[in-house]
Amino acid sequence: MTEVTVNPSGCSRSQPVDFLSLASESAAVDAAIAARQPVVLTDLAADWPALSEWTPDNLSSRYGDKRVRVYDASFGEPGANYMGSVDAMSFAEFLQATLGEGRDLRMFLYNISHHVPELLDDVILPDIGLRFSRRFVFTFFGCQGAVTPLHYDIDMGHVFYTAIHGRRRIRLFAPDQAAALYQHPFTVRAYANLERPDYGRHPALKWARGFEVVLQPGQTLFLPAGYWHEFHYLDAGFGVSLRASSPAMSDRLRGAANLLLLSPLDRIANKVAANGWFDFKERSAQRRAQALIQQNT
């Protein structure tokens, strides 16, 4: 078992991430999931046909004519396009633009069960005591250097993310680190810059405690419900996530509230007064972080 300990974004405290084999260390895997601890599973996807069949050339030749919605770094910026896509193009054009030309475009939450259900045969749901849904198998694509900003998944499910093509550097923080990360209320987003932290603007980052790991193709990261994460594409590539409902009723209720109440309210407020609403959320995040600083000094 290998441990990796890194101080993410200059934070003063960190925790180890275990690399475990599902085949030979299943008890340790079960314990990590029960304890809601992130862990990298080295062989969960070892027998997936996707690892060999999902090459850029194969995907482009088989599904290149499909129209896809694409996003860029402006995804979370206030305004008319808040949380929206920036373009639509054929899948072949997208793959060429991102994996070939390095254009800053991404695909989020592309549900293969809806759009290309035959690809589900290339992904094998694990038997690890959780209820996985074949209706929610998502793929994610990005160019080299693309960053998926800091957030947690809105539905509050457990996520198992497998890198299929290319490496990812992933930073993780437990749910109780929200104040130190400057979470915006009514959202699952935080806007503190982890790559180049500005401790003048975001001093509470010094109290954040998290993980950092580089995920290699074929490896799977377990993201417990509510865990904050930031993905950095070290290489152009793509991955797939499996989702399982959290056993905790509190997670399921919070996920429903996020989806049915908070997110719609956030989008409406953005349409009515984008900049003012964003400023309100930023001030709220600052007040919460300042309270944390006062507790720690």
Side-chain angles (χ1 to χ4, degrees), residues 38 170-174 209-213 221 223 227-229:
I170 306 168
R171 290 169 173 146
L172 307 161
F173 298 87
R209 181 176 184 175
F211 308 82
E212 182 172 306
V213 64
L221 174 66
L223 290 159
Y227 252 76
W228 293 87
H229 48 281

Side-chain angles (χ1 to χ4, degrees), residues 140-182:
F140 301 79
F141 295 75
C143 67
Q144 184 179 30
V147 176
T148 302
L150 190 62
H151 69 287
Y152 67 88
D153 281 22
I154 194 168
D155 64 347
M156 292 294 294
H158 288 331
V159 175
F160 290 75
Y161 175 89
T162 299
I164 302 296
H165 183 81
R167 299 167 301 152
R168 311 286 178 276
R169 186 189 67 204
I170 306 168
R171 290 169 173 146
L172 307 161
F173 298 87
D176 62 7
Q177 301 298 298
L181 299 174
Y182 293 81

Side-chain angles (χ1 to χ4, degrees), residues 165-287:
H165 183 81
R167 299 167 301 152
R168 311 286 178 276
R169 186 189 67 204
I170 306 168
R171 290 169 173 146
L172 307 161
F173 298 87
D176 62 7
Q177 301 298 298
L181 299 174
Y182 293 81
Q183 177 187 4
H184 275 205
F186 301 95
T187 80
V188 296
R189 298 287 306 279
Y191 288 83
N193 188 327
L194 300 182
E195 192 68 20
R196 298 178 181 84
D198 182 347
Y199 293 121
R201 182 180 178 188
H202 296 128
L205 280 177
K206 295 177 182 178
W207 278 271
R209 181 176 184 175
F211 308 82
E212 182 172 306
V213 64
V214 173
L215 198 67
Q216 303 288 339
Q219 294 179 341
T220 302
L221 174 66
F222 166 56
L223 290 159
Y227 252 76
W228 293 87
H229 48 281
E230 175 206 70
F231 277 61
H232 186 109
Y233 285 72
L234 298 178
D235 308 304
F238 47 88
V240 61
S241 71
L242 306 179
R243 312 182 79 79
S245 296
S246 168
M249 179 59 71
S250 58
D251 287 336
R252 297 198 292 272
L253 291 174
R254 184 177 172 189
N258 286 341
L259 288 164
L260 300 176
L261 180 62
L262 297 184
S263 180
L265 190 155
D266 179 49
R267 289 174 183 266
I268 292 170
N270 178 76
K271 289 183 180 297
V272 172
N275 291 326
W277 177 242
F278 188 90
D279 291 343
F280 160 74
K281 292 185 290 186
E282 179 64 19
R283 291 194 302 270
S284 298
Q286 289 284 348
R287 286 195 296 269

Side-chain angles (χ1 to χ4, degrees), residues 179-180 182 204 284-297:
Y182 293 81
S284 298
Q286 289 284 348
R287 286 195 296 269
R288 189 179 180 192
Q290 187 59 40
L292 176 67
I293 292 172
Q294 291 174 355
Q295 293 173 8
N296 285 277
T297 56

